[in-house]
Amino acid sequence: MPQDRRPSFTRHNSQDMRSSSAPGGVEHAVRVDLDGLINQMPSGPDKDKFSKEMDDFYRLITRYLHEKKHSKPLDWEKVRGPKPEDVIAYKDLEQKDLKSIAPLLNKLAVLKLNGGLGTTMGCVGPKSAIEVRDGQTFLDLTVQQIEYLNQVSGADVPLILMNSFNTDEDTSKIVQKYNNHNVSICTFNQSRYPRFKADSNLPIAHTPDNKPGLWYPPGHGDLYESFANSGLLDQLIEEGKEWIFVSNVDNLGATVDPAILQHMADTDAEFVMEVTDKTKADIKGGTIIDYDGQIRLLEIAQVPKAHVDDFKRVKKFKIFNTNNLWISLKAIKRLVDSQKFDLDLIVNHKTTDDGTAVIQLETAVGAAIKHFTGAHGVNVPRSRFLPVKSTSDLFLVTSDLYLLENGQLYMNPKRTFKTVPVVKLGDHFKKVNDYLARFKTPPQILELDHLTVTGDVCFSSDVTLEGTVIIVANYGAHIDIPRGAILNDKVVSGDLRLLDH
């Protein structure tokens, strides 16, 4: 029987037993530690939820310990490109507009993976709160997209945010400002798992308190369990919802696509993964493969070291996973209740501030593709993958390369080539505040093919970049690009300081 799942989502609108030589070995010692953490909590819903999370974590770590002893490495000889029926072309789908699929939209919910922080870009708080375009955040643009979708179609598509313990509090405050918008917003938290020592395999946390460095969110593959544990999965099914569209909150191209939704309904597929053609910038991206006759997602972390270069070759693995996923809600419930989600483990080695070697076990949401009936990929246009992982990405989405309408970015029709320029900004531009201080206004880049900037470089207003532009300020040097400058196939180096007048 499936375990009782208590709603926990938020809607807005003794020492010897620790030894690995004790009876039962390491697994027993881990179980004793986890029970000790659970027993420290007072009775109530929070304890029930924490207990369920520790049970899920125990299943994960026992599988890790078993695989470490018994599992065989990936057999590279069995890795094949996907069969033709495993990946279909988006252009072959019947195109639809929002109004014509309103009945299907009423059976859809949109879920954004919102567990990440903006630390890699020098920001504090949830990444979704970073301003990315015209003073608007990822979350602002997402809400605009769903609001427009509901307005045009007359449907009621809810927006769901899967937060982590790192982002929940701030996100809960932020979403209050959308109370008067035509969109229902729900949030729930993904699991909180304890890091464990690499030598003993025992958790480093001794209390259930959320102390920094002791706990971690276990990757977006945790979506299925935490979604069910929250009670929200059951509620959506009771409300008549059939599908959920999942994507990263920082992917500005991940909007609800009528053609793909209609395709889900027509084919009865339980899982559709959007993939797109690889470029040299995407060589590390996970890809759909045929492994021993079964469709699977292959991540670079799973590839034997001897074959990593082979994995990165664009000619062999031509597509990669955008993490835009369309999934049947009833299928999620069936697989969670039967505990069938044995997702491929990603073993992440870390070091704590005091130098302790620890491990985080993580999973990827797309790895579940092998568990669903009729699962396949759809090769979509590159426009559906516009992530902002760095200031180089931010440079692109804030430029005249894109136009913004109803929260959605469109490639500027004035650009001759519909490919995106390659942009590489150096360490001086790595943090958002430093990046913003070095551009008075975003340069005009409609004719840009490649840009590399390294060193202490600043751009004045109304700068135009065309063709291939390389700007290098050597150590100790500074370069100012003056107002109104037009750089066409230029290499700029040395020390250049100009004053606007």
Side-chain angles (χ1 to χ4, degrees), residues 219-234:
H220 43 57
D222 176 61
L223 179 149
Y224 306 104
E225 292 284 354
S226 57
F227 189 25
N229 292 344
S230 73
L232 188 50
L233 173 61
D234 285 340

Side-chain angles (χ1 to χ4, degrees), residues 78-138:
K78 294 182 179 180
V79 175
R80 299 283 186 272
K83 297 187 289 288
E85 63 268 27
D86 287 342
V87 179
I88 64 173
Y90 177 83
K91 63 182 177 61
D92 292 338
L93 301 184
E94 183 181 355
Q95 296 304 302
K96 297 284 185 176
D97 58 42
L98 294 175
K99 286 184 179 180
S100 68
I101 63 159
L104 296 181
L105 288 170
N106 274 317
K107 298 178 181 181
L108 179 73
V110 172
L111 189 151
K112 294 290 181 177
L113 302 170
N114 187 49
L117 297 169
T119 49
T120 55
M121 295 172 67
C123 297
V124 178
K127 187 174 183 180
S128 57
I130 297 175
E131 292 186 359
V132 289
R133 179 82 186 208
D134 300 345
Q136 299 175 93
T137 67
F138 289 108

Side-chain angles (χ1 to χ4, degrees), residues 168-180:
D168 180 58
E169 185 176 350
D170 287 338
T171 300
S172 295
K173 293 175 183 176
I174 292 168
V175 297
Q176 299 299 323
K177 70 178 183 178
Y178 307 120
N179 283 343
N180 295 323

Side-chain angles (χ1 to χ4, degrees), residues 76 277-285 287 300 303 305-320:
W76 196 250
D277 292 344
K278 267 191 179 185
T279 68
K280 290 183 179 180
D282 313 305
I283 56 174
K284 294 183 179 182
T287 188
I300 191 168
V303 178
K305 288 184 179 180
H307 299 285
V308 168
D309 288 341
D310 195 18
F311 175 82
K312 290 180 179 179
R313 290 193 182 99
V314 176
K315 286 185 178 180
K316 181 167 184 176
F317 297 101
K318 300 178 180 180
I319 57 171
F320 73 98

Side-chain angles (χ1 to χ4, degrees), residues 422-439:
V422 175
V423 175
K424 299 177 181 180
L425 300 180
D427 288 344
H428 285 72
F429 296 80
K430 193 172 184 179
K431 305 301 183 184
V432 171
N433 287 341
D434 294 336
Y435 165 86
L436 293 174
R438 293 180 178 276
F439 289 99

Side-chain angles (χ1 to χ4, degrees), residues 28-43:
H28 177 73
V30 172
R31 184 71 259 183
V32 169
D33 271 21
L34 296 179
D35 288 344
L37 292 171
I38 295 168
N39 291 335
Q40 292 180 55
M41 293 191 70
S43 297

Side-chain angles (χ1 to χ4, degrees), residues 59-72:
R59 279 207 309 275
L60 202 65
I61 193 170
T62 53
R63 186 155 66 89
Y64 161 73
L65 293 171
H66 181 270
E67 289 182 4
K68 211 163 70 158
K69 285 184 177 180
H70 304 291
S71 71
K72 297 178 181 178

